[in-house]
Amino acid sequence: MQLKRKHLVVTGIAIVLLLWYFSLPKPLFKNPTATVVTSKEGHLLGARIADDGQWRFPAGDSVPFRFKTAILQFEDAWFYRHPGFNPVSMTKALWSNLTSENRRGGSTLTQQVIRLSRENPKRTYLEKLLETLMATRLEAGYSKDEILSLYASHAPFGGNVVGLESASWRYFGIPASQLSWGQAAALAVLPNAPALVFPGRNEGVFKAKRDRLLLKLKTENIIDETTYNLALAEVLPGAPQELPDLAPHFTERMVQEHPGENVKSSLDLNLQNRLNDIAVEAYYRLSQNQIHNLSILVLDVKTRKVLGYMGNAPTTREHASYVDLVSARRSTGSTLKPFLYSAMLGSGELLPHELVADVPTTINGYNPQNFDKTHNGAVPASQALAQSLNVPAVNLLRSHGLKRFYNNLRKLGFKDINRPADHYGLSLILGGAESNLWDLTNAYAGMAATLNFFNDSSSEYPAHAFDEPVYLKNTAYDLGEKQPLPELYDAGAIYQTLQTLREVNRPEGSENWEFFSDAQPLAWKTGTSYGFKDAWAVGVTPQYAIGVWVGNADGEGRPGITGIQAAAPILFEVLDLLPASGWFKMPFDELVEAEMCPQSGKLGGLYCPETQLQWIPKKGTRTEACSFHRQIFLNAERTHQVNAECYPLGQIVSQSWFSLPPLWEYYYAPLHPEYQSLPDYLPGCFRESEKTMEFIYPKAGEAILIPKDFEGEKQETVFKLAHRDTDTTIYWYLDALYLGSTTTFHELSLVLKPGDYLLSATDRAGNSISRKLHIRYASED
């Protein structure tokens, strides 16, 4: 019987111990918390209220000394010595409650943590017993400092303000670590009576409680007389203040990606404040032209951390102030051209200053135009990039391969370019696709990072160079092993590309642009989308990448929305805020010196009269030698071309001559007075096979669509032809029917019915050219 009784006692004790051990829920608090975003320095950038409408910041890991001292003196002086409850205080409270009308509490801070976790149930003796049991369990599983931190994070401070940190910001506009003794004492007495905080109500009671606590702190020699008097003079907390909101769109992004967390971001507080100032000034300036939105992103190239994030201008809700334009999809304009240029340099398809065609071009009905609607005939590839010429870019993309370039863009991280390559077509290089400031700025940063890595390690290029930017303070840059990068990322090609972008002079055809001579070296590119809807400016240094977008969130175009007018000034204002970081080192191991023809930009050929040593990407040595210089034979006076069949062999003079194809020459020669067309052949000499003339319009295989005017009449079509000899006469024929002749400017206007024809042209020397015409009404399918 006695053994059975012992067994029951042991079992009972075991059950009680089990109940005691499992009496604490995990987690102890399940209340939703606000999303809080701080800068890398720890300053509050912004916060968003918890889902239950309470300003409850995520729990901190420590309690500031002043508040800790004040709350212990006010609530629980024996906190560090009791096991979770204070028998003396509880006995006094029980006796007072039984013998008087005054209600007195005897709870320790540990018991108050339990009560807060149970959402303040009705006070009964049974509840008090359970609270005490759970308090001892809390003491057994948590340190004293952890329990104090739980209290500070979940205590009520009036209204919908919960927790010390949120109370400090809401009532004083500072972090809890910066509270004065007067402020700390005021907040220490609030959880005991949170209704005291309302302005105009019970302020006398509130002040008396705070002052009594301050007197106790002085009596206990925690603060001196001077500190005490200064604390008494401090004002009490009143109506809650607005929290800082220095990066509102970044904060909203964190709400979506890290809801309810304390996000310690990589944003630089000073830079973010300066970006806000720049945005205010730029918005005022741009809004005069009804341009209402802009965004700015600044990245650290080496760590790929976000340093500054301006999601939108300080505009109105009517103009979509709530839209985060750093991540919004917009037409890329010309901003993708450097990636094509770099890809072709790296693969040996192009040389840095090689002449490329800039002539009227039609490809399957697509007719690209330069920004200023003119043509240069031939232009160095570097100049075509620097001036952001559209026609050369389209021709280069066609040569490089649309799908090949599209695949490289996907590898660069352009997530929004996600439709099949054929959906975009060749317009991909001119803004036919959409991306966002986040991906675009990061892609430019990736080029700079590739160069930095190469120069630092002299080894393989980093597989992580184009990884996603990071925005958390303690997040390390992804250095994980990945597949090797394709040849697009050749360091020599990237260096040549950035060197070209450093020397940008008049992008987008602007004739009034001047260098920013006072700025630190920067490789930068502007872009403008069709219809003047998007203005871009992106730049990189070895340390920083800056991206700027300007426009209207609703897509309304304005004449002033160009990269050079709207976005570039902001780019350089931001650059002026950043420490100078020098320039990229030349990656000599990825470049070779080669004999180059300065006129054509190609490898020196047999007939190039002079060559220069230039650094080019290694694979550039695979390109063909200069073909624009060739040997011709002249008469003794050097006025005409001749050959041995018509001129004494001993008097023939050989000479190297720089000559472009007729169509290139047609546009190139007027812009280059030093250019000389090939001399004509001496009368009586047989002209060797060479291309002397070329159709400007129409292009081979192109269908010509003719509209009808309002009277139903057919419209004229103008046919154009380029000839090396500007003084020659051209005779025009349509299906062998003579139409007439032209001199100097070879243009012929015809009114033709729909059908197929053969247009022919013959010069005085008997050279002929013909083109099949396919005429259709524009309304025809």
Side-chain angles (χ1 to χ4, degrees):
M1 190 71 177
Q2 191 173 2
L3 286 174
K4 186 174 183 182
R5 190 178 299 116
K6 273 187 177 182
H7 179 73
L8 290 174
V9 170
V10 171
T11 302
I13 293 173
I15 292 173
V16 170
L17 288 174
L18 284 172
L19 290 174
W20 175 81
Y21 184 82
F22 291 105
S23 62
L24 281 184
K26 289 186 178 180
L28 191 60
F29 290 92
K30 298 180 181 179
N31 310 89
T33 56
T35 303
V36 178
V37 183
T38 59
S39 69
K40 68 179 183 180
E41 301 86 358
H43 194 280
L44 182 64
L45 294 175
R48 296 296 181 267
I49 200 166
D51 291 342
D52 61 355
Q54 302 294 303
W55 279 111
R56 185 188 300 105
F57 282 20
D61 53 7
S62 63
V63 180
F65 172 76
R66 288 175 181 168
F67 179 81
K68 175 180 178 179
T69 304
I71 194 66
L72 291 180
Q73 289 298 320
F74 183 74
E75 287 281 3
D76 194 352
W78 294 84
F79 176 72
Y80 279 98
R81 284 179 268 185
H82 62 63
F85 64 96
N86 188 329
V88 176
S89 296
M90 289 181 67
T91 301
K92 288 180 179 180
L94 178 62
W95 178 255
S96 176
N97 294 338
L98 291 174
T99 60
S100 69
E101 294 295 327
N102 296 325
R103 312 304 293 175
R104 177 176 174 176
S107 298
T108 63
L109 286 176
T110 310
Q111 289 173 300
Q112 291 184 52
V113 169
I114 295 299
R115 186 183 306 129
L116 290 171
S117 72
R118 291 170 58 77
E119 299 182 352
N120 294 304
K122 186 177 180 180
R123 297 191 180 188
T124 65
Y125 290 112
L126 179 61
E127 179 63 32
K128 194 69 175 180
L129 179 62
L130 180 60
E131 181 182 290
T132 303
L133 178 70
M134 295 178 68
T136 60
R137 175 64 184 88
L138 184 63
E139 291 275 352
Y142 292 78
S143 70
K144 288 287 187 179
D145 287 342
E146 287 174 332
I147 294 171
L148 190 59
S149 181
L150 285 172
Y151 174 82
S153 299
H154 295 90
F157 286 87
N160 66 344
V161 180
V162 179
L164 172 64
E165 196 65 34
S166 62
S168 182
W169 279 106
R170 290 289 279 164
Y171 294 130
F172 300 112
I174 57 175
S177 60
Q178 296 179 13
L179 289 171
S180 66
W181 280 109
Q183 293 166 337
L187 292 183
V189 304
L190 264 184
N192 183 266
L196 295 179
V197 78
F198 289 100
R201 189 197 310 172
N202 300 321
E203 288 186 12
V205 178
F206 189 5
K207 187 175 188 306
K209 276 180 172 260
R210 183 203 66 174
D211 293 352
R212 281 196 299 272
L213 175 56
L214 288 171
L215 180 59
K216 186 177 181 182
L217 292 172
K218 183 175 81 74
T219 303
E220 296 289 335
N221 293 321
I222 296 172
I223 60 175
D224 58 25
E225 184 74 25
T226 302
T227 304
Y228 170 67
N229 290 326
L230 290 173
L232 288 175
E234 292 188 51
V235 296
L236 295 170
Q241 302 179 18
E242 291 292 330
L243 294 177
D245 205 13
L246 303 180
H249 299 89
F250 181 77
T251 299
E252 290 294 341
R253 184 169 184 158
M254 296 306 98
V255 171
Q256 300 300 317
E257 298 181 14
H258 301 275
E261 296 182 22
N262 188 350
V263 179
K264 297 178 181 179
S265 79
S266 59
L267 268 62
D268 182 283
L269 176 63
N270 181 60
L271 178 60
Q272 186 64 35
N273 280 321
R274 299 293 297 277
L275 291 184
N276 291 343
D277 293 340
I278 287 174
V280 169
E281 295 174 6
Y283 170 65
Y284 175 79
R285 182 174 66 248
L286 294 165
S287 62
Q288 309 304 307
N289 189 29
Q290 299 181 38
I291 304 171
H292 301 288
N293 304 97
L294 64 91
S295 55
I296 307 170
L297 183 66
V298 181
L299 305 178
D300 185 311
V301 167
K302 295 181 179 179
T303 65
R304 200 55 57 77
K305 288 186 176 179
V306 180
L307 301 180
Y309 192 108
M310 168 59 60
N312 205 331
T315 186
T316 62
R317 189 167 185 83
E318 176 188 0
H319 294 111
S321 59
Y322 50 88
V323 176
D324 183 359
L325 291 163
V326 168
S327 56
R329 296 176 53 162
R330 310 294 300 195
S331 168
T332 55
S334 297
T335 57
L336 302 182
K337 290 176 182 175
F339 303 110
L340 175 63
Y341 183 77
S342 181
M344 296 187 71
L345 289 181
S347 61
E349 300 169 77
L350 185 69
L351 291 169
H353 309 295
E354 177 182 341
L355 286 179
V356 294
D358 181 17
V359 296
T361 301
T362 301
I363 304 170
N364 296 327
Y366 177 52
N367 182 27
Q369 296 289 329
N370 291 326
F371 187 84
D372 58 5
K373 309 297 183 183
T374 65
H375 298 89
N376 296 275
V379 62
S382 56
Q383 183 180 330
L385 175 62
Q387 295 187 356
S388 199
L389 299 177
N390 292 337
V391 175
V394 170
N395 286 326
L396 288 174
L397 177 58
R398 185 186 189 189
S399 171
H400 180 69
L402 172 62
K403 291 185 178 178
R404 184 179 173 193
F405 181 60
Y406 167 86
N407 290 335
N408 281 331
L409 291 179
R410 295 288 296 168
K411 293 172 185 175
L412 281 168
F414 286 96
K415 297 180 292 296
D416 286 338
I417 303 179
N418 50 18
R419 298 189 178 186
D422 291 339
H423 170 81
Y424 303 109
L426 295 175
S427 68
L428 173 64
I429 198 65
L430 305 184
E434 291 182 330
S435 187
N436 57 74
L437 192 63
W438 181 266
D439 289 345
L440 185 64
T441 308
N442 187 56
Y444 277 78
M447 289 204 292
T450 302
L451 276 185
N452 286 341
F453 187 89
F454 180 85
N455 287 320
D456 288 344
S457 66
S458 298
S459 62
E460 294 295 326
Y461 311 127
H464 59 271
F466 294 89
D467 281 1
E468 191 88 1
V470 295
Y471 49 74
L472 300 181
K473 177 183 178 181
N474 297 320
T475 301
Y477 191 30
D478 180 11
L479 298 175
E481 293 186 3
K482 296 188 176 182
Q483 292 297 317
L485 294 175
E487 291 184 353
L488 164 65
Y489 308 96
D490 174 83
I494 290 177
Y495 178 82
Q496 295 280 7
T497 301
L498 297 185
Q499 190 68 21
T500 295
L501 294 178
R502 178 184 177 180
E503 298 166 359
V504 166
N505 188 3
R506 294 172 296 188
E508 303 288 340
S510 172
E511 296 300 324
N512 298 316
W513 184 255
E514 295 180 357
F515 283 108
F516 286 88
S517 58
D518 59 340
Q520 60 171 301
L522 180 76
W524 62 293
K525 181 73 183 73
T526 59
T528 303
S529 68
Y530 180 77
F532 302 102
K533 296 179 180 180
D534 305 279
W536 301 88
V538 189
V540 291
T541 72
Q543 184 64 51
Y544 303 103
I546 310 165
V548 177
W549 174 89
V550 174
N552 287 313
D554 62 3
E556 179 187 359
R558 296 291 301 169
I561 302 180
T562 66
I564 198 65
Q565 290 177 279
I570 298 174
L571 173 74
F572 281 92
E573 286 183 67
V574 175
L575 180 67
D576 287 342
L577 302 178
L578 303 173
S581 56
W583 188 242
F584 299 96
K585 298 177 183 177
M586 182 183 288
F588 290 102
D589 289 347
E590 293 301 305
L591 297 169
V592 295
E593 269 194 307
E595 294 280 351
M596 307 297 295
C597 173
Q599 275 187 286
S600 67
K602 297 176 75 67
L603 296 174
L606 180 63
Y607 300 112
C608 289
E610 61 175 322
T611 59
Q612 295 177 353
L613 278 175
Q614 293 178 9
W615 290 97
I616 63 172
K618 283 183 175 180
K619 291 185 179 178
T621 56
R622 301 176 181 179
T623 60
E624 63 177 16
C626 175
S627 58
F628 295 115
H629 282 96
R630 56 174 174 157
Q631 186 181 40
I632 64 171
F633 300 99
L634 304 173
N635 59 0
E637 294 78 19
R638 300 176 185 265
T639 58
H640 292 80
Q641 291 189 71
V642 296
N643 54 53
E645 296 181 4
C646 67
Y647 198 79
L649 185 62
Q651 299 180 32
I652 293 179
V653 178
S654 66
Q655 183 172 330
S656 172
W657 202 278
F658 178 69
S659 177
L660 297 173
L663 184 54
W664 295 23
E665 181 182 286
Y666 179 81
Y667 293 95
Y668 183 89
L671 301 176
H672 297 268
E674 76 283 0
Y675 180 81
Q676 294 183 335
S677 297
L678 282 171
D680 201 0
Y681 274 83
L682 192 69
C685 283
F686 173 72
R687 182 184 297 271
E688 296 178 356
S689 176
E690 69 173 47
K691 201 170 188 179
T692 59
M693 54 184 167
E694 189 173 352
F695 277 109
I696 300 174
Y697 183 82
K699 294 295 180 183
E702 177 186 0
I704 301 173
L705 302 180
I706 55 174
K708 293 182 179 179
D709 65 15
F710 294 112
E711 302 296 329
E713 297 294 329
K714 297 182 289 294
Q715 302 295 304
E716 289 185 340
T717 302
V718 179
F719 301 95
K720 296 183 180 182
L721 182 145
H723 197 287
R724 290 193 185 279
D725 186 355
T726 56
D727 294 328
T728 193
T729 298
I730 299 294
Y731 305 95
W732 297 81
Y733 301 86
L734 186 68
D735 290 339
L737 176 66
Y738 176 67
L739 299 174
S741 64
T742 56
T743 304
T744 306
F745 298 102
H746 304 296
E747 298 182 3
L748 186 70
S749 298
L750 297 176
V751 177
L752 298 174
K753 296 179 180 180
D756 295 333
Y757 305 87
L758 182 65
L759 180 68
S760 302
T762 304
D763 65 12
R764 287 181 304 190
N767 300 296
S768 294
I769 188 173
S770 60
R771 176 67 37 90
K772 290 183 178 180
L773 306 181
H774 306 284
I775 310 296
R776 304 286 185 268
Y777 280 140
S779 58
E780 291 184 359
D781 294 332

